[in-house]
């Protein structure tokens, strides 16, 4: 099971990633990717396909230099795109309402988790799209607070941003559980602080959260 072990004490705060964690959608992912391609093509005066090619190339280069696949935010920054400009484009060009619907299983899981913990969202996505996605899934009311990119404009993985999120929520490392779909982006930084983490590769993996909470009692 992709779970870090060795924790004691009680988990009180669960910090979820959003995209790829609370939902999986090729449609939304593709629209996000296409928005990045079109920004690159406009900024450089090249075709859309060439923009996509440049994005792929930058991703490969970053991966060759630093290891695992970089976040899209990091790749866009590397290509000279300002983060705010990137998120303006996402807000205009990404339409999760075309792809996402209420998810009763996710709703039921979050209802049960809410009885045990406070739930938070920490995402490289922006507030507008995060709220829209949560609303489409029917889970927007379950979170105590959202930490979207606007929280400090430092995309994950970022140790300083993580410290700000932890301080804002409050509590010792053993009171947290981080849940995400990308180990080095969502989970490695909190794990380095001794925080419990759970890697979810598909929505069904989320069911393991209750086991993690039981183990941490
Ligand atoms: Mg994700």
């Amino acid at each position: 099971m992709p779970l870090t072990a060795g924790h004691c004490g009680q988990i009180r705060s669960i910090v979820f990633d959003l995209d790829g964690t609370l939902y999986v959608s090729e449609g939304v992912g593709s629209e996000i990717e296409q928005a990045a391609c079109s920004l690159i093509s406009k900024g450089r005066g090249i075709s859309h396909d060439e923009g996509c090619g440049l994005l792929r190339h930058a991703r490969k280069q970053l991966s060759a230099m630093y290891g695992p696949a970089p976040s899209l935010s990091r790749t866009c920054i590397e290509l000279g795109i300002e983060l705010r400009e990137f998120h303006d484009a996402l807000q205009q060009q990404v339409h999760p309402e075309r792809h996402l619907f209420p998810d009763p299983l996710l709703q039921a899981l979050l209802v049960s988790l809410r009885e045990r913990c406070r739930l938070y969202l920490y995402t490289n996505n922006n507030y507008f799209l995060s709220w829209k996605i949560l609303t489409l899934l029917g889970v927007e009311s379950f979170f105590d607070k959202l930490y979207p990119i606007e929280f400090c404009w430092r995309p994950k993985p970022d140790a300083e941003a993580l410290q700000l999120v932890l301080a804002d929520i409050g509590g010792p490392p053993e009171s947290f559980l981080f849940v995400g779909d990308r180990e080095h982006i969502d989970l490695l930084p909190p794990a380095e602080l001794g925080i419990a983490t759970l890697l979810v590769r598909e929505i069904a993996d989320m069911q393991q959260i209750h086991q993690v909470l039981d183990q941490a009692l």
Side-chain angles (χ1 to χ4, degrees):
M1 186 168 71
L3 155 73
T4 56
H7 298 274
C8 55
Q10 197 177 353
I11 291 167
R12 294 191 296 274
S13 306
I14 306 179
V15 182
F16 290 93
D17 170 53
L18 175 61
D19 307 297
T21 299
L22 293 186
Y23 76 97
V24 176
S25 165
E26 269 185 37
V28 174
S30 164
E31 287 189 17
I32 290 174
E33 188 87 2
Q34 291 305 311
C37 294
S38 81
L39 254 189
I40 296 165
S41 75
K42 275 184 203 150
R44 303 200 173 208
I46 55 179
S47 73
H48 185 84
D49 284 351
E50 287 169 331
C52 290
L54 213 50
L55 183 65
R56 278 196 301 273
H57 181 68
R59 206 175 247 150
K60 262 190 203 162
Q61 274 194 323
L62 282 174
S63 186
M65 283 191 289
Y66 303 112
S71 68
L72 184 58
S73 302
R74 186 63 63 206
T75 312
C76 286
I77 291 168
E78 198 66 23
L79 286 167
I81 293 172
E82 214 268 323
L83 257 186
R84 286 173 171 79
E85 185 191 4
F86 175 52
H87 282 280
D88 284 347
L90 291 184
Q91 284 190 29
Q92 288 165 24
Q93 295 174 41
V94 177
H95 303 282
E97 66 275 17
R98 293 175 182 163
H99 310 282
L100 299 181
F101 305 93
D103 182 343
L105 284 179
L106 180 65
Q107 290 166 3
L109 175 68
L110 295 181
V111 164
S112 63
L113 291 174
R114 280 275 289 180
E115 291 170 4
R116 309 180 69 173
C117 296
R118 287 172 168 261
L119 310 182
Y120 301 90
L121 191 84
Y122 175 27
T123 171
N124 282 351
N125 212 329
N126 58 66
Y127 182 80
F128 176 85
L129 281 177
S130 298
W131 184 255
K132 199 173 193 178
I133 289 167
L134 292 178
T135 305
L136 288 163
L137 296 171
V139 299
E140 76 281 6
S141 62
F142 300 134
F143 293 89
D144 284 89
K145 188 165 179 180
L146 312 185
Y147 297 94
I149 191 67
E150 291 93 336
F151 178 62
C152 61
W153 290 103
R154 298 176 70 110
K156 297 185 281 186
D158 186 289
E160 283 181 41
L162 174 61
Q163 287 293 350
L164 291 173
V165 170
L166 296 175
D168 196 63
I169 295 172
E174 57 269 26
S175 68
F176 288 95
L177 169 66
F178 274 62
V179 180
D181 67 306
R182 289 185 295 182
E183 189 125 43
H184 66 290
I185 291 174
D186 302 316
L187 306 180
L188 197 57
E192 284 173 351
L193 301 174
I195 290 172
T197 63
L198 179 67
L199 181 66
V200 292
R201 298 202 183 278
E202 53 184 15
I203 297 294
D205 290 341
M206 299 267 283
Q207 300 297 337
Q208 293 172 9
I209 294 174
H210 276 295
Q211 292 166 265
V212 177
L213 296 180
D214 292 341
Q215 286 167 17
L217 279 175

